[in-house]
């Protein structure tokens, strides 16, 4: 796959980076990529010194270049932390440009909330910032295992021009126990969560503003996607409800939401699937039957339900039939 490969930050030389950057700058971007670039430059300040770019509720495509998830910037006195970087190097470059329009402080940390492509494929443009790449201690293993599939599928979905320069950048600093990061008179707390949306979900809490950045542990509008454990996700929702926050930044949805009531629609959806699947397993129903009716009372309240609901029911059935 020409020009697209797995890389660790310390293996990218300055010469290689400059050569790649020059090639990308000279590329004849199509109008659809220019439109994606304009979208990703929009940032809103949801709390003092905390900015969020809101992704679109769409499937990944050339027209959005993978700009489908929320990206965050936290500004401390001495340094910046970035949370998630988008679904391609195109989005990552635009996010970096938007950050530089806000602050010229060093980007000390790039934090990924989990391994899914729409959150990590914008990492590559941040390598030259000499930031530490921080993630759940299980993310490197999961991302490595799926690297070839993610690269191949996202190149196909996004297209060569928009996906050019996108790479797997593995974390350099894994998080196992809760960790405080001081950006200079601004402390953020990173917590590696048990298996829920994935097996490598990480949350970030900004103590200065009481803002929780939940990643894909919270969806709003866009239907939740299950790639971990439905039992674990429902259990974690109960835990998260008890954690105090002034607001939350979801992985997909508005730039910020009230807390913890923003969890309610997602919990209803996941619980409806779990309850229906358990009942059908008890009645010796098949997976095929479950995909037709499980969670039907809640699924049509979500965008992209046709694309992801059956997959969610299938994952839940595979897990719950072994309870």
């Amino acid at each position: 796959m020409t020009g697209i490969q797995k890389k660790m930050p310390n293996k990218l030389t300055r010469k290689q980076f400059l050569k790649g950057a020059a090639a990308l700058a000279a590329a004849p971007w199509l109008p659809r990529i220019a439109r994606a670039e304009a979208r990703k430059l929009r940032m809103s300040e949801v709390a003092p010194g905390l900015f969020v770019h809101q992704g679109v509720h769409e499937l990944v495509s050339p027209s959005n270049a993978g700009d489908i998830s929320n990206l965050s910037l936290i500004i401390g006195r001495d340094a910046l932390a970035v949370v998630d970087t988008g679904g391609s190097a195109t989005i990552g470059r635009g996010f970096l440009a938007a950050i530089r329009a806000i602050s010229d402080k060093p980007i000390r940390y790039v934090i990924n909330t989990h391994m899914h492509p729409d959150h990590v494929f914008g990492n590559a443009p941040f390598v030259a910032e000499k930031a530490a790449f921080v993630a759940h201690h299980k993310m490197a293993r999961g991302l490595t295992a799926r690297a070839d599939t993610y690269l191949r599928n996202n190149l196909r979905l996004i297209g060569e021009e928009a996906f050019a320069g996108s790479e797997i950048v593995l974390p350099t600093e894994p998080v196992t126990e809760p960790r405080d990061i001081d950006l200079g008179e601004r402390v953020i707390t990173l917590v590696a969560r048990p298996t829920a949306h994935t097996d490598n979900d990480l949350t970030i809490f900004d103590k200065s503003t009481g803002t929780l950045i939940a990643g894909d542990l919270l969806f709003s509008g866009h239907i939740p996607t299950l790639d971990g454990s439905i039992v674990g996700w429902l259990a974690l929702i109960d835990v998260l409800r008890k954690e105090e926050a002034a607001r939350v930044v979801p992985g997909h949805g508005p730039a910020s939401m009230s807390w913890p009531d923003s969890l309610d629609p997602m919990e209803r959806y996941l619980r409806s699937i779990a309850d229906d699947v358990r009942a059908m397993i008890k009645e010796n129903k098949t997976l095929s039957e479950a995909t037709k009716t499980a969670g039907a009372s809640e699924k049509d309240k979500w965008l992209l339900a046709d694309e992801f609901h059956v997959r969610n029911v299938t994952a839940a059935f595979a897990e719950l039939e072994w309870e």
Side-chain angles (χ1 to χ4, degrees):
M1 202 173 295
T2 304
I4 302 173
Q5 56 188 318
K6 292 175 280 187
K7 289 198 176 186
M8 288 291 287
N10 59 4
K11 292 184 180 178
L12 185 69
T13 68
R14 178 175 175 78
K15 181 178 179 181
Q16 289 170 325
F17 177 81
L18 292 175
K19 182 179 178 181
L24 291 168
W29 302 111
L30 297 176
R32 64 175 180 264
I33 304 306
R35 288 197 295 271
E37 193 122 349
R39 271 201 295 272
K40 66 184 174 298
L41 291 175
R42 289 200 291 268
M43 303 279 285
S44 58
E45 191 169 13
V46 301
L50 200 161
F51 293 80
V52 175
H53 166 69
Q54 182 180 347
V56 296
H57 289 338
E58 298 174 359
L59 296 176
V60 170
S61 69
S63 64
N64 60 43
D67 184 19
I68 66 168
S69 61
N70 292 347
L71 319 176
S72 302
L73 166 67
I74 306 170
I75 302 175
R77 181 197 62 204
D78 304 323
L80 311 176
V82 170
V83 181
D84 290 335
T85 56
S88 68
T90 294
I91 300 304
R93 288 191 300 274
F95 186 34
L96 180 56
I99 291 168
R100 286 304 173 218
I102 295 169
S103 174
D104 61 358
K105 293 178 182 179
I107 299 172
R108 194 161 293 164
Y109 301 96
V110 174
I111 303 164
N112 289 130
T113 58
H114 63 292
M115 68 180 177
H116 283 161
D118 53 313
H119 296 260
V120 304
F121 269 138
N123 281 358
F126 290 86
V127 170
E129 300 294 319
K130 303 189 186 307
F133 287 80
V134 187
H136 191 292
H137 65 98
K138 291 184 179 180
M139 195 187 91
R141 181 186 65 188
L143 189 53
T144 299
R146 295 187 185 181
D148 291 340
T149 299
Y150 280 172
L151 286 163
R152 182 173 60 253
N153 288 347
N154 283 270
L155 174 63
R156 174 178 55 83
L157 293 169
I158 294 174
E160 246 181 82
E161 289 179 284
F163 201 62
S166 303
E167 300 168 355
I168 298 291
V169 179
L170 296 174
T172 57
E173 296 187 10
V175 176
T176 303
E177 300 297 325
R179 174 184 173 184
D180 283 347
I181 289 176
D182 190 352
L183 301 174
E185 297 180 355
R186 188 164 205 154
V187 175
I188 58 176
T189 300
L190 280 53
V191 179
R193 302 294 183 168
T195 302
H197 168 62
T198 69
D199 73 348
N200 52 89
D201 300 304
L202 185 79
T203 60
I204 299 91
F205 183 70
D206 174 34
K207 294 184 178 181
S208 295
T209 64
T211 303
L212 175 66
I213 301 175
D216 281 7
L217 291 173
L218 177 60
F219 283 73
S220 178
H222 183 305
I223 194 168
T225 59
L226 178 61
D227 190 22
S229 164
I230 195 166
V231 173
W233 204 344
L234 286 166
L236 183 56
I237 287 171
D238 289 339
V239 172
L240 291 171
R241 282 190 184 281
K242 298 179 176 67
E243 298 183 7
E244 294 186 6
R247 67 190 63 77
V248 63
V249 178
H252 298 266
S256 71
M257 303 179 72
S258 59
W259 182 257
D261 54 295
S262 53
L263 290 166
D264 294 348
M266 187 180 71
E267 181 178 17
R268 283 195 299 270
Y269 171 69
L270 294 174
R271 198 167 295 285
S272 74
I273 292 177
D275 290 347
D276 289 351
V277 167
R278 284 189 174 109
M280 297 184 81
I281 290 171
K282 189 174 181 180
E283 296 168 5
N284 293 317
K285 301 287 187 181
T286 65
L287 170 59
S288 178
E289 291 173 303
T291 60
K292 292 180 176 65
T293 60
S297 62
E298 292 291 326
K299 81 176 182 69
D300 291 335
K301 299 175 183 178
W302 298 88
L303 297 172
L304 303 177
D306 288 345
E307 288 76 15
F308 295 107
H309 176 68
V310 169
R311 190 184 305 177
N312 290 338
V313 173
T314 301
F317 195 98
E319 177 183 355
L320 297 174
E321 70 177 336
W322 296 104
E323 280 189 318

